[in-house]
Amino acid sequence: MKKSYKLKLEGKEWKDCLKEAFNKKKKDIKMDGFRKGQVPYEVYVKKLGIETLYMDAVDMAVDILYARLLSDKDTITPAATPGIDLKAVTDDYVELEFTLVSSPDIKLGKYKKLGVKKEKIEVSEEEIEHELGHLKEQFAEVKVKDDKEKIKEGDVAVIDFEGFLNGVAFKGGKGENYSLTIGSHTFIPGFEEQLVGLKKGDQKDVNVTFPENYHSEELKGKPVVFKVKINEVKERVFPEFNKEFFEDLNVGGVTSLDDLKNYIKKNKKAEKEHQLEDEYLFKCLDKVVEESKFEIPEEMTEDEVNRLVREFSEKLKYQGLKLEDYLKFANTNLDEFKKSLKDEANKRVGYRLVMDAIVDAEKLEVTDDELEKGLDEAAKNYGMKREDFEKEIGSKELFKYDLLMKKAMKVVTE
């Protein structure tokens, strides 16, 4: 259901918003005859006009009127960010129109005993060997090779390089004393392979072609030449699984290769159990969604798409990257990126809708005792004090909702 509501903020309430908008920008206002930040409200309005405060004051009015709207028992429960339309603004009042969308009606299909099979958990010898290889990589030492020894796959070449397009050096194509692991595929395809067989002091023109999907319009699909000098060659020396290695590893109970394999197998199994539980849950939810009938409002999809964008942007920040840089590198823009997330967004919204419907159908609830116990356990798991954990999550109600969803998940998966 979609419904619109017109609300006015007038009289003293609107005047207070205008004054608050002025107070927020007052510290930055410069005006002849007054020190910075000391201009009186009446002088500012007379000189620059009250209209200059409208937009900031409207933002405050939105918060006031939306809270008022939600407190009205006749207002539908919004399931997405409201649409807000400024209908009128004057010195005396502001009128806003809020368009709210509620969750769609849902005809819940079968949600118990769904016949979805759980996969058996197995850890193969190949997987264990793969993890042992990771450990060797992690504890490998890098040693400088003899000047006459040639570069081979897996070695680290310390190089100077400069790229040229049609004989002219291009921006971003130069580096000094860059450590390049041969076989890492860090550079353009074909670059690393051409360094194999060289040794310290050698120089070579490396001919490569930039990929067609490269982010730079100037370079995509273009043949270029990199002038490369080998400054040093290093090799990675991998450890032996001996007594000294296990002492350095310092894992309780692991003193031999068999102990290590068992330790890896146990951890790999736990990891797979967690992963398969998640996969099993989503297969069950897919089945419930498939057997239920509902239509997702576009506003709910848009909200979820924006949430996915924020999540992705936060992940990039942890890697020291910005969303704009990622989009440029992927040769796309924000609108196209959002379109690519639409199916995932609809899937998430669908899951949420059927879970809420299951909560209603099963009359599930979280008691105060369950909430308190859940908060205590979660704080303990995160190694935090209870009060610090509550500050971190921001809202007990959100945590309570998560506990409710876990109950609904249990109904679906049992």
Side-chain angles (χ1 to χ4, degrees), residues 260-299:
L260 181 57
K261 285 183 175 181
N262 287 330
Y263 176 79
I264 289 171
K265 188 173 184 177
K266 182 182 175 183
N267 281 279
K268 197 72 183 170
K269 189 176 180 183
E271 180 189 317
K272 279 192 168 189
E273 280 174 352
H274 183 72
Q275 183 183 335
L276 287 174
E277 281 298 323
D278 284 347
E279 288 175 7
Y280 175 66
L281 169 63
F282 291 128
K283 282 178 183 176
C284 290
L285 286 174
D286 285 336
K287 190 84 172 170
V288 178
V289 169
E290 186 185 318
E291 298 199 9
S292 301
K293 290 182 180 178
F294 57 89
E295 286 188 16
I296 299 172
E298 188 60 37
E299 291 83 354

Side-chain angles (χ1 to χ4, degrees), residues 99-287:
T99 302
L100 306 188
V101 175
S102 62
S103 288
D105 292 330
I106 177 168
K107 188 177 179 183
L108 191 61
K110 186 178 179 182
Y111 61 88
K112 293 180 181 178
K113 298 179 181 176
L114 297 164
V116 179
K117 290 184 179 179
K118 271 188 181 181
E119 291 183 37
K120 277 185 72 177
I121 296 168
E122 292 179 357
V123 179
S124 67
E125 282 300 318
E126 289 80 5
E127 288 175 298
I128 293 172
E129 289 299 325
H130 184 72
E131 291 301 319
L132 288 173
H134 271 311
L135 266 178
K136 281 191 171 184
E137 292 272 349
Q138 189 180 334
F139 284 87
E141 292 182 30
V142 179
K143 295 183 177 178
V144 178
K145 293 177 77 167
D146 186 88
D147 291 357
K148 293 180 181 178
E149 287 190 75
K150 295 178 179 179
I151 296 171
K152 66 179 190 302
E153 188 85 3
D155 283 348
V156 176
V158 182
I159 61 174
D160 292 342
F161 63 89
E162 187 167 17
F164 294 84
L165 173 63
N166 298 325
V168 179
F170 55 84
K171 188 178 178 183
K174 186 176 182 179
E176 292 182 353
N177 287 320
Y178 184 91
S179 293
L180 175 64
T181 301
I182 307 303
S184 65
H185 308 297
T186 307
F187 274 30
I188 304 160
F191 184 100
E192 294 167 25
E193 293 85 341
Q194 295 181 54
L195 302 188
V196 173
L198 301 180
K199 60 184 184 299
K200 181 178 178 179
D202 285 350
Q203 297 185 40
K204 183 172 182 175
D205 286 354
V206 174
N207 293 278
V208 289
T209 300
F210 275 96
E212 290 292 341
N213 63 349
Y214 194 67
H215 66 271
S216 168
E217 287 295 330
E218 178 195 3
L219 297 172
K220 60 177 8 177
K222 300 288 176 62
V224 297
V225 178
F226 281 93
K227 293 190 177 297
V228 180
K229 181 189 174 189
I230 311 298
N231 295 329
E232 197 171 49
V233 182
K234 301 175 182 179
E235 66 178 335
R236 301 169 78 207
V237 181
F238 298 102
E240 296 290 329
F241 289 129
N242 51 27
K243 183 181 178 183
E244 186 182 345
F245 175 82
F246 295 122
E247 285 175 357
D248 289 342
L249 188 62
N250 194 27
V251 173
V254 175
T255 58
S256 68
L257 183 56
D258 284 341
D259 289 341
L260 181 57
K261 285 183 175 181
N262 287 330
Y263 176 79
I264 289 171
K265 188 173 184 177
K266 182 182 175 183
N267 281 279
K268 197 72 183 170
K269 189 176 180 183
E271 180 189 317
K272 279 192 168 189
E273 280 174 352
H274 183 72
Q275 183 183 335
L276 287 174
E277 281 298 323
D278 284 347
E279 288 175 7
Y280 175 66
L281 169 63
F282 291 128
K283 282 178 183 176
C284 290
L285 286 174
D286 285 336
K287 190 84 172 170

